[in-house]
Amino acid sequence: MTARPRWRTVFFRPANAATAVSVAAGLGCGILAASGHPYGAAISLLVAGVADLLDGPIARAFPGNAEQTLFGQRADSLADACNFGYAPALFGYFALDFQSPGHLAILFWWHVCAIGRLGAFDTFGLDEKEDNRYYRGVPTTLAALSIPIVYCLRGAVDYLTLQRIFLGFYPVMGFAMVSRLRLKKPKKVGIAVAVLVAAAAIARLVQGALAA
């Protein structure tokens, strides 16, 4: 009979540390949004996205055995459901005042699309062509990262205009997650660019928070 691996051998891995940071930031997004700190919530969502972008490269840099790899993949998928499904919905509810029945329907649509996207990815994986690998539909991480980036418009436009932008943004991006759109899986340069964009957005949001 094969012995089951001990908890610490599958959990305490470098890539899982990035996943834990992502989960903590996703939780922080919801708490800060509910507490009336929208800028902090947006920053937390960015941190969650960046940590999720980095867990893949970290896992490849520190490969584990089959059980460790499977655990990491499943933990990452569950974390994504929380961070990029629930957290953006909570951000919309509290930070954007999306609290009417119509607003709630939009947030529900987002969450259903995020879960559907994650389920499809776990089932079908990536499309492969020659030496390139492609996502089918916009990844939940990139979709969620775009929310705080768009929120950087706060201050540049009035609040009502910002709400209207997100009224269109949430359903369109939700559809993009479950669409047949093919996106090339980013490599090191692409991930580095995404991290730099997130860092610039964080700087802008910190500036907005200090000016508020």
Side-chain angles (χ1 to χ4, degrees):
M1 182 176 179
T2 303
R4 295 175 65 89
R6 293 189 179 186
W7 168 257
R8 66 173 181 270
T9 65
V10 296
F11 183 77
F12 292 105
R13 303 285 303 166
N16 292 337
T19 299
V21 170
S22 182
V23 170
L27 177 62
C29 173
I31 291 173
L32 289 168
S35 302
H37 302 287
Y39 285 104
I43 291 170
S44 292
L45 190 54
L46 281 167
V47 172
V50 169
D52 185 67
L53 286 174
L54 295 178
D55 67 4
I58 292 173
R60 289 188 288 274
F62 301 94
N65 58 36
E67 289 82 7
Q68 291 167 339
T69 299
L70 181 60
F71 178 91
Q73 291 172 343
R74 288 178 173 173
D76 180 62
S77 185
L78 290 170
D80 288 352
C82 297
N83 299 334
F84 312 130
Y86 282 116
L90 291 173
F91 182 84
Y93 185 84
F94 290 108
L96 298 169
D97 295 320
F98 280 9
Q99 299 178 11
S100 73
H103 289 147
L104 294 177
I106 289 174
L107 298 179
F108 177 73
W109 166 255
W110 168 279
H111 189 62
V112 167
C113 290
I115 296 300
R117 173 68 180 78
L118 290 166
F121 178 77
D122 287 347
T123 303
F124 303 111
L126 295 167
D127 291 343
E128 297 192 22
K129 184 177 180 181
E130 297 177 352
D131 293 331
N132 296 317
R133 307 174 77 193
Y134 295 86
Y135 291 111
R136 180 67 64 88
V138 174
T140 55
T141 305
L142 297 182
L145 272 173
S146 63
I147 291 174
I149 290 173
V150 174
Y151 194 75
C152 288
L153 291 172
R154 181 168 182 176
V157 299
D158 62 84
Y159 186 66
L160 183 59
T161 299
L162 186 65
Q163 278 187 314
R164 289 172 176 169
I165 290 172
F166 275 107
L167 275 175
F169 183 84
Y170 267 89
V172 169
M173 191 57 73
F175 175 77
M177 284 191 281
V178 294
S179 70
R180 296 180 66 85
L181 180 68
R182 287 177 44 150
L183 294 177
K184 186 176 179 180
K185 181 177 173 65
K187 297 183 179 179
K188 292 180 179 180
V189 174
I191 292 174
V193 170
V195 171
L196 288 174
V197 170
I202 288 173
R204 171 67 182 87
L205 291 167
V206 169
Q207 182 183 32
L210 293 176

